[in-house]
């Protein structure tokens, strides 16, 4: 059986390689042999995630024709990649991309920082802001007032409190997507929702198509569930999805599930437009793939003049193809562990039945707090406060990073909580390690890829502002100098990897 899960055509690979030619070479650099330049170009595409790991590469003759080079050049490049661990081949199955086993593992950086370290370390690991007071306190007080009738019951509501299910359904209906309470299940955060969906639809060994890059914690959840991840490269910059690639992967890999973040994608910040959403839903329906749309960032638009596209489930209102996951954790507060699933009633019934062997239900008091926010207008006011805070932090961080690290590249998203940064050829894993030494925690790019991709990136969340954002950029610049000098991790692994 072939080990590749997707394929890259000769013309497509040629376009990606050509796009690298605009990058300036370093001072005093010599022009490498043609085969070496080709091998380095493919290697960089894999490390950046623009060509997925386990993607079948075109045959030597096909790529030679597309690049207008000799077949000998392509054969030598492929052999160099094989010797370095970036390519695997089998007679009759072709060649597919890989990442060598000896590659540095991504550094930590996504786990919450211990409280005792908050005074000395700037935490850019978690994309979460403090609670938007006074709304948290008011919501909890309102929940306590509503609690007594529920205290006289068993307290187990596997599908969620009826009042909250009805409230969430009404909110979808008000957005033009008719929804019944029977289409809603309340979960313990979006992670609880994704865990339930993965266990229901994607048993061990099943394929799940994911954006590349994608949300690191969800990727790890899927790995631990035993899924085989099929990465689909995002379009460049903030352009959203490459729908043609999605069609190809859904058709050829036939994944049971596909997971996407259409609204201010984590980590890139991209916003998929309506045409992309419609076409991806159609492609998933045609392939028989269940499309899971994570809309936890959907209310965090930061530019006031932004015209938001319709939600993904608007193109499948019955929920036969699209399962929607929402949460209060990003838009309100990470400590409010309330999420929900919107799907067809039969899917909800299956999820609820399976829940008896997992967490039984979601805390009643927190459900009542979210229901209070939705019912009183407190949610809208709290989220507006959250947008203002994130917008201010974003602008401060962007200004500081551009000043301290002008060689780093990124595009400024119109919403969400994250900035996806290309680090000027430096190893993201080594930057994360060096950051720990100089007092700034930052997650490395490979945390958001499959099998070691995106080594040249880090994710910077909009969690700090003002003077703290400026100091964070200063410390990141210090970490970059350590990596450039080879001090962060020692040896050749700390050197920049440039094509």
């Amino acid at each position: 059986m072939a080990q590749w899960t997707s394929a890259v055509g000769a013309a497509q690979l040629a376009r990606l390689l050509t796009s690298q030619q605009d990058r300036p070479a370093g001072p005093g650099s010599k022009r490498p042999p043609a085969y070496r330049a080709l091998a380095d170009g493919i290697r960089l595409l894999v490390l950046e995630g623009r060509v997925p790991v386990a993607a079948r590469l075109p045959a030597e003759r096909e790529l030679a024709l597309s690049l207008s080079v000799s077949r000998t050049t392509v054969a030598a490049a492929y052999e160099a990649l094989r010797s370095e661990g970036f390519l695997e081949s089998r007679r009759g199955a072709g060649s597919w991309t890989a990442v060598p086993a000896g590659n540095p593992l991504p550094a930590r950086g996504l786990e919450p920082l211990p409280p005792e370290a908050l005074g000395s370390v700037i935490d850019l690991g978690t994309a979460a802001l403090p609670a938007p007071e006074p709304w948290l306190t008011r919501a909890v007080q309102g929940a306590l007032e509503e609690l007594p009738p529920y205290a006289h019951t068993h307290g187990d509501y596997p599908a969620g409190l009826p009042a909250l299910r009805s409230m969430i359904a009404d909110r979808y209906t008000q957005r033009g997507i008719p929804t019944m309470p029977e289409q809603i299940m309340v979960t313990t955060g979006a992670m609880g929702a994704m865990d339930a969906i993965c266990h229901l639809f994607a048993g061990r060994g099943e394929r799940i198509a994911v954006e590349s890059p994608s949300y690191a914690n969800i990727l790890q959840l899927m790995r631990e569930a035993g899924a085989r991840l099929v990465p689909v490269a995002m379009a460049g910059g903030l352009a959203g999805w490459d729908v043609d690639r999605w069609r190809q992967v859904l058709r050829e890999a036939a994944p049971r599930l596909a997971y996407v973040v259409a609204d201010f994608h984590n980590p890139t910040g991209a916003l998929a437009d309506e045409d992309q959403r419609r076409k991806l839903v159609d492609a998933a329906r045609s392939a028989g793939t269940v499309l899971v749309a994570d809309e936890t960032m959907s209310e965090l638009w930061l530019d006031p003049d932004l015209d938001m596209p319709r939600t993904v489930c608007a193109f499948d209102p019955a929920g036969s193809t699209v399962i929607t996951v929402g949460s209060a954790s990003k838009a309100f507060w990470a400590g409010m562990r309330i999420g929900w699933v919107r799907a067809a009633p039969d899917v909800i019934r299956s999820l609820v039945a399976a829940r008896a062997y997992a967490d039984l239900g979601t805390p009643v008091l927190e459900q009542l707090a979210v229901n209070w926010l939705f019912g009183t207008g407190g949610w809208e006011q709290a989220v507006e406060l959250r947008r203002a805070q994130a917008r201010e932090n974003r602008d401060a961080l962007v200004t500081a990073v551009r000043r301290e690290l002008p060689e780093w590249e990124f595009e400024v998203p119109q919403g969400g909580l994250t900035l996806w940064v290309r680090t000027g050829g430096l190893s993201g894993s080594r930057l994360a390690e060096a950051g720990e030494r100089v007092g700034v925690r930052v997650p490395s790019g490979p945390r958001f890829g499959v099998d070691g991709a995106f080594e040249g990136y880090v994710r910077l969340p909009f969690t700090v502002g003002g003077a703290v954002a400026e100091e964070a950029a200063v410390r990141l610049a210090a970490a970059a100098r350590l990596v450039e000098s080879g001090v962060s991790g020692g040896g050749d692994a700390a050197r920049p990897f440039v094509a």
Side-chain angles (χ1 to χ4, degrees):
M1 181 177 177
Q3 300 300 305
W4 51 273
T5 56
S6 62
V8 180
Q12 178 187 357
L13 183 56
R15 286 195 302 272
L16 291 171
L17 290 165
T18 301
S19 70
Q20 296 178 330
Q21 295 176 0
D22 296 331
R23 300 184 183 181
S29 60
K30 297 180 180 179
R31 186 177 183 87
Y35 85 90
R36 183 70 260 173
L38 176 56
D40 287 345
I42 294 174
R43 175 175 59 87
L44 184 58
L45 289 172
V46 172
L47 288 170
E48 289 181 344
R50 299 175 70 195
V51 169
V53 175
R56 188 176 186 270
L57 294 186
E60 295 171 0
R61 187 185 302 278
E62 295 175 2
L63 186 57
L65 288 172
S66 293
L67 293 174
S68 299
V69 299
S70 70
R71 183 177 176 181
T72 302
T73 296
V74 177
Y78 278 15
E79 180 57 35
L81 290 168
R82 274 190 290 269
S83 67
E84 296 162 4
F86 285 93
L87 196 69
E88 296 181 11
S89 303
R90 183 186 301 164
R91 184 177 297 277
S95 299
W96 56 92
T97 57
V99 171
N103 241 36
L105 292 175
R108 297 180 304 151
L110 287 171
E111 301 81 6
L113 191 67
E116 61 271 16
L118 289 174
S120 59
V121 179
I122 298 175
D123 186 9
L124 297 180
T126 56
L129 292 164
E133 289 288 28
W135 297 107
L136 174 61
T137 298
R138 291 181 183 177
V140 173
Q141 290 171 342
L144 287 171
E145 293 176 2
E146 298 292 333
L147 183 61
Y150 295 94
H152 293 293
T153 73
H154 49 66
D156 288 336
Y157 297 88
L161 294 184
L164 181 55
R165 295 177 72 194
S166 180
M167 185 71 74
I168 294 171
D170 288 346
R171 289 173 65 84
Y172 278 107
T173 300
Q174 291 164 9
R175 295 161 65 185
I177 309 155
T179 303
M180 303 178 295
E182 292 79 9
Q183 290 180 263
I184 301 297
M185 181 177 82
V186 180
T187 63
T188 308
M191 292 293 290
M194 285 303 306
D195 183 64
I197 292 167
C198 288
H199 279 89
L200 179 63
F201 285 96
R204 186 165 297 275
E206 292 276 5
R207 290 178 176 176
I208 302 179
V210 296
E211 296 151 325
S212 183
S214 186
Y215 180 35
N217 289 335
I218 293 293
L219 294 181
Q220 187 59 30
L221 181 153
M222 292 174 177
R223 292 186 188 102
E224 293 183 359
R228 297 175 60 191
L229 302 185
V230 183
V232 186
M234 296 285 288
L238 298 177
W241 302 320
D242 185 328
V243 178
D244 289 338
R245 290 190 189 182
W246 271 101
R247 283 200 190 97
Q248 180 184 15
V249 168
L250 294 178
R251 183 176 61 250
E252 296 179 359
R256 184 72 180 89
L257 276 182
Y259 170 78
V260 296
V261 184
D263 304 297
F264 313 118
H265 173 259
N266 186 353
T268 68
L271 177 66
D273 61 34
E274 282 206 8
D275 188 54
Q276 290 173 322
R277 295 170 191 233
R278 180 185 296 104
K279 289 179 178 177
L280 185 56
V281 172
D282 290 344
R285 184 181 294 115
S286 297
T289 297
V290 176
L291 181 64
V292 182
D294 183 336
E295 62 173 25
T296 55
M297 296 280 192
S298 63
E299 296 192 59
L300 290 177
W301 64 84
L302 305 185
D303 294 349
D305 59 346
L306 178 61
D307 186 15
M308 286 291 293
R310 285 179 290 170
T311 185
V312 176
C313 65
F315 304 99
D316 179 50
S320 58
T321 296
V322 176
I323 296 178
T324 303
V325 172
S327 172
S329 298
K330 293 297 185 184
F332 186 76
W333 184 47
M336 187 68 76
R337 305 304 305 161
I338 299 296
W340 52 87
V341 176
R342 182 197 181 277
D346 62 316
V347 172
I348 294 298
R349 286 193 294 270
S350 297
L351 289 170
V352 171
R355 193 172 193 180
Y357 308 101
D359 63 354
L360 294 178
T362 302
V364 170
L365 188 62
E366 292 185 30
Q367 292 187 72
L368 289 172
V370 172
N371 194 58
W372 183 92
L373 287 166
F374 285 158
T376 62
W379 176 269
E380 285 72 23
Q381 296 183 64
V383 172
E384 184 56 41
L385 181 65
R386 169 70 77 236
R387 292 190 195 108
Q389 185 179 14
R391 183 185 307 117
E392 182 179 333
N393 287 356
R394 177 195 66 179
D395 296 346
L397 187 64
V398 165
T399 299
V401 172
R402 281 178 171 165
R403 181 183 63 246
E404 298 295 333
L405 292 151
E407 67 278 12
W408 286 18
E409 304 171 33
F410 55 86
E411 293 189 40
V412 182
Q414 294 179 288
L417 291 172
T418 58
L419 199 66
W420 186 237
V421 182
R422 189 199 300 269
T423 55
L426 299 180
S427 162
S429 297
R430 295 305 183 190
L431 279 167
E433 293 176 7
E436 299 277 355
R437 299 181 56 169
V438 299
V440 58
R441 295 178 80 244
V442 57
S444 59
R447 294 295 299 271
F448 304 90
V450 176
D451 296 331
F454 303 107
E455 187 58 68
Y457 289 82
V458 294
R459 189 194 72 173
L460 305 180
F462 314 142
T463 52
V464 296
V468 180
E470 294 180 6
E471 178 61 24
V474 169
R475 296 186 186 187
L476 285 171
R481 289 192 293 273
L482 286 177
V483 174
E484 289 171 338
S485 66
V487 172
S488 66
D492 293 339
R495 296 178 185 172
F497 64 89
V498 291

